[in-house]
Amino acid sequence: MKALWKGSISFGLVYIPIRLYSGTQSHRIELDMVRQKDKCQIQYVRVCKKDGKEVPWEDIAKGYRKENGDYIIIDKSDFDKISPEKSDSIDIFEFIKEEEIPSKYLEKPYILEPEKSAKKVYALLREALRKSEKVGLCKFVMRTTQHLGILKVEEDAILLIQIRFNDELRDPDEAGLIPKDISITKKELDMAMSIIDQLTETFDPSKYKDTYKDELIKMIKAKAKAKPGKQPATSTRKRKTPAAKDDLLEQLKASLAAIKN
């Protein structure tokens, strides 16, 4: 596994040299865009909207569009002036209870591995976090961008979980149709609670797999073996659509009956 970043955790006056690894991996199958009739791969080029001519990379700049359609050019020196100071440190500035952080703020996990010389101090921070039942709120700079995160213990590792800044989140009321003053009867609520009770399980992430990816690979292999001009036999699965009912209580009763069966 290749480290994405090297630096240190700043914990008071203590520095813990670490390597940072991505805590996730993608299993996405890459598909190329091709011309259907001859399987020629499609190539994208950068062209000017005004004259249709291709623009080489060295002639491309970044621009902010004003209301009148004109552009203000932003060059490298402009970005350098406002970029956060480069830092190789994950700076813990306070400790908080993890449950105080709403799940909507959690964004991306990273694994932190200590350098050989820092194993003991890494273990010390890990055990202190575990015993305090708290996480370290921290700031760090990656690829010229400042991020907010938490350091938390997961088994024997310290994880860095990148979290979103408050102004990155949208207010749910922007959706416009969030129900507020809706009357719910006790019978309806009791029935809904019964459905939740019936479907309650202990979370086991190993039970859940990306079945679409498996089906896609199976289909690709079948098409590769098929004779030219012939399509392999496939089974089309249709999702059952429940009949529309106006009576909410009847829908809840039907749901419970389906679960028990």
Side-chain angles (χ1 to χ4, degrees):
M1 191 160 55
K2 185 178 179 182
L4 300 176
W5 186 81
K6 287 185 179 183
S8 63
I9 300 171
S10 169
F11 169 43
L13 296 178
V14 176
Y15 289 86
I16 309 171
I18 53 94
R19 289 183 292 270
L20 181 145
Y21 300 89
S22 174
T24 62
Q25 57 184 342
S26 173
H27 297 292
R28 184 176 61 184
I29 298 173
E30 297 292 339
L31 299 175
D32 291 333
M33 303 288 284
V34 298
R35 186 164 57 190
Q36 187 167 339
K37 65 178 181 181
D38 58 4
K39 302 177 184 176
C40 173
Q41 188 174 0
I42 302 299
Q43 177 182 345
Y44 288 91
V45 294
R46 302 164 300 277
V47 297
C48 174
K49 284 187 176 181
K50 189 182 293 184
D51 57 23
K53 294 181 180 179
E54 185 175 353
V55 183
W57 273 116
E58 58 267 24
D59 291 343
I60 294 178
K62 294 189 183 237
Y64 175 81
R65 184 168 181 164
K66 299 192 295 185
E67 291 183 4
N68 63 5
D70 290 341
Y71 280 92
I72 300 171
I73 300 298
I74 313 293
D75 59 26
K76 185 179 180 301
S77 65
D78 295 317
F79 285 112
D80 289 341
K81 292 173 187 174
I82 61 169
S83 292
E85 184 179 349
K86 187 177 180 182
S87 171
D88 293 330
S89 178
I90 299 170
D91 301 316
I92 303 174
F93 58 89
E94 62 185 51
F95 292 89
I96 57 175
K97 292 283 188 180
E98 186 177 1
E99 57 265 27
E100 294 174 359
I101 307 171
S103 59
K104 63 184 179 180
Y105 285 92
L106 304 179
E107 186 171 11
K108 190 184 300 181
Y110 295 98
I111 301 166
L112 300 182
E113 176 189 68
E115 298 286 356
K116 288 184 179 179
S117 62
K119 287 184 177 180
K120 183 171 183 178
V121 67
Y122 178 96
L124 173 63
L125 175 59
R126 180 187 64 200
E127 296 312 310
L129 288 172
R130 199 196 308 271
K131 187 171 183 179
S132 68
E133 298 182 342
K134 293 179 182 177
V135 297
L137 194 58
C138 60
K139 287 184 179 179
F140 62 101
V141 176
M142 187 182 294
R143 300 188 186 94
T144 72
T145 302
Q146 188 179 73
H147 300 285
L148 195 62
I150 57 170
L151 295 180
K152 62 168 289 185
V153 176
E154 189 75 34
E155 296 181 354
D156 292 328
I158 297 176
L159 300 185
L160 167 64
I161 311 295
Q162 184 177 321
I163 64 177
R164 299 178 176 91
F165 287 102
N166 189 61
D167 59 5
E168 294 178 304
L169 295 172
R170 283 183 165 171
D171 186 339
D173 285 341
E174 290 182 33
L177 294 176
I178 304 297
K180 293 186 177 179
D181 299 325
I182 303 293
S183 177
I184 302 293
T185 68
K186 182 181 183 302
K187 199 167 186 178
E188 290 168 342
L189 184 58
D190 289 344
M191 196 75 71
M193 292 300 296
S194 295
I195 294 174
I196 291 175
D197 289 340
Q198 291 284 338
L199 294 177
T200 295
E201 300 283 350
T202 300
F203 178 61
D204 178 6
S206 64
K207 294 194 300 187
Y208 315 114
K209 300 186 185 305
D210 182 1
T211 56
Y212 174 78
K213 182 197 71 172
D214 294 337
E215 291 295 325
L216 181 57
I217 291 174
K218 191 187 298 182
M219 181 268 293
I220 290 172
K221 288 180 177 178
K223 294 198 76 162
K225 292 179 181 178
K227 294 180 180 179
K230 289 191 175 182
Q231 292 292 330
T234 56
S235 59
T236 305
R237 293 175 297 179
K238 290 186 177 180
R239 186 187 295 268
K240 292 182 180 180
T241 304
K245 291 186 175 75
D246 292 329
D247 190 331
L248 177 57
L249 202 56
E250 287 301 314
Q251 292 180 48
L252 292 168
K253 287 178 181 177
S255 299
L256 264 179
I259 293 170
K260 291 177 181 177
N261 292 335

